[in-house]
Amino acid sequence: MLQAMFSGVSGLQAEQTGLDVIGNNIANVNTTGFKSGVATFETQLSQTLKSAAAPNGNQGGTDPSQVGLGVVVGAISVLQTQGNLQATGSNTDLALQGSGFFMVGSGSTVSYTRDGSFTLDGSGNLVNSATGQELLGYPADSTGKIDTTQQVTTSSNLKIPLGILTSVKQTTQASFQGNLDAGSSIQSTYTTLDGNLANNPTTINTTAYDAQGNAHQVSYTFTQGSPTATDNIWNVGITVDSIPVTGTHTMAFNLTSGAYDAANSSGLPSTLSITGQNGAPNFSLNVNYASTLSDISTNAATAHATTDGQSGSLPTWSTSINVYDSLGVKHNLVVNFQRTLVGADTGKGNPPLAAPPASATAQWDWTVSENGVVLSSSTPGVVNPPGTSLSTGSNSPLYFNTNGQLIDTSKQTAVVTPTSGAGDPFSVAIDFSGISQLAGTPSVAANGQDGYPLGTLQSFSIDPTGLITGVFSNGQSQSLGQIATATFSQPSGLSASGNNDYTPTANSGQPQIGLPGQSGRGTISTGFLEMSNVDLSTQFTNMIVTQRGFEANTRIVTTVNTMLQDVLNLIP
């Protein structure tokens, strides 16, 4: 009988432990990230009254006869199931959806938790709002680069210093896109006289164009002069925009063949000086006298002048871009484009400019300047105010083919020498590959550059993969850090250490640390907290069952006590 009493006592003890677990579950029904526990029971040792016997001959086998000696708590397991998410509106509150634990550090101890109620402390650290434990992960360096191969330790705390952290970057690249007008004017560089005068007085007119596309009429008037023993002589009157070119100009033609006799011609100018209009600079027009000129009277008159250049829209375009030095000081660079004849600059400059590509049908020179000082150029011979001729270096004009496409899309270089701010010059690689040359309104403009001025950290966001991105007052964004999470092969084997924390045990396995959303790890929901996974209906049901079990075990004890009293009453 005493065995029955002791079994009842063990039942009372076991049910008491089960009720403790239920009470703890209900007490933590509103605890962030809490995982409910479940108590399971198992039998104690059994007393064998008779062992089992195997069948023997005509006698069948018999089962063992055993009396149990009570119950013990076999295990208290933790249900690592997902809790519901509760919106908080705070961008530092985090909830894990799926497997994994946040890593938090305090002193030299790393703990693991599902409690994502974090906030920023006075130093900008992401810490648990109740315990002050720091959220751990992979901090970014000053450039925003994150090394996720480094080991996560208690010093791997994530910091978001709002209003303190600054950001600045020197420009290294800039790009332009848009169109340069293929119908823009081209300054004339030469005029060529050719054909047959046919011994008739004639005037040959041709049109030259200045850099702005303004037309200038060049006229050659031929009058018969006195022939020599060998040549027929023509007096040539030359006017530019109706203004006579001073001097006496004669052309000689062989009396027999009618061929142009350059040796006996005199006073013919090799260049004409033309005054630009409407702001266009003055320019020189080379005059060529073709060897095929003639005055054969028996042939038809075909004398003419051919002049290059064309009229059209302004052959210039200007745009600007802001770049930044290493201190964040802004530099406004003005980029000017000037259309020129293909190959006009070949062989000039230092080093000499190479010949244009064979497929080039248009050429645009460019300069980059700041405050009127030319910094870099594609054009040999450009001189800046101090009087130093610039080297073209690896730069070149922009050459376009018949389809209006830029032939060489290699990046050009502009060197900026700050007069204030950073003291060292810095190079900017300029990408013109987005520029075309088609007939239409010019539209080339800066497409972007990679520098930015000084800015302070104003806000931040955390994405589902745990990447923390800061937004600065200069409009730039930069990675500030990466939250790390850990998974375990047997998360139910973790040991609860208080403050919603867990520590690894021999049965939980070692933490597998990585990024949220990878290798089976859950993702992060910002502005939410994970609620307790306690199901009150289940707990109340378990509580009733436990209560009934406890009551039944008390009846065993009282029943045995009554029976023992009856035995004692047998004694007279």
Side-chain angles (χ1 to χ4, degrees), residues 54 178 200 208 267 270 318 327 377 415 441 543 556:
N200 293 313
S270 59
S318 180
L327 297 183
S377 171
V415 179
T441 303
M543 185 166 56
I556 292 174

Side-chain angles (χ1 to χ4, degrees), residues 3 6 17 44 72 232 267 303-304 339 383 385 423 459 465 475 491 516 555:
Q3 291 177 348
F6 287 127
T17 301
Q44 292 196 48
V72 296
N232 192 21
H304 61 278
R339 185 171 186 177
V383 178
S459 62
T465 66
R555 295 301 297 270

Side-chain angles (χ1 to χ4, degrees), residues 302-391:
T302 59
H304 61 278
T306 301
T307 306
D308 66 352
Q310 70 180 39
S311 178
S313 63
L314 290 178
T316 59
W317 182 251
S318 180
T319 188
S320 64
I321 186 172
N322 291 327
V323 300
Y324 302 90
D325 61 28
S326 59
L327 297 183
V329 176
K330 180 173 68 176
H331 300 266
N332 182 254
L333 304 184
V334 177
V335 183
N336 290 306
F337 299 90
Q338 173 71 56
R339 185 171 186 177
T340 60
L341 290 173
V342 175
D345 302 321
T346 302
K348 301 177 182 178
N350 179 29
L353 188 64
S359 59
T361 59
Q363 173 180 327
W364 289 78
D365 294 332
W366 57 267
T367 60
V368 175
S369 59
E370 181 183 16
N371 297 325
V373 178
V374 177
L375 305 177
S376 296
S377 171
S378 67
T379 310
V382 172
V383 178
N384 59 13
T388 303
S389 181
L390 296 176
S391 169

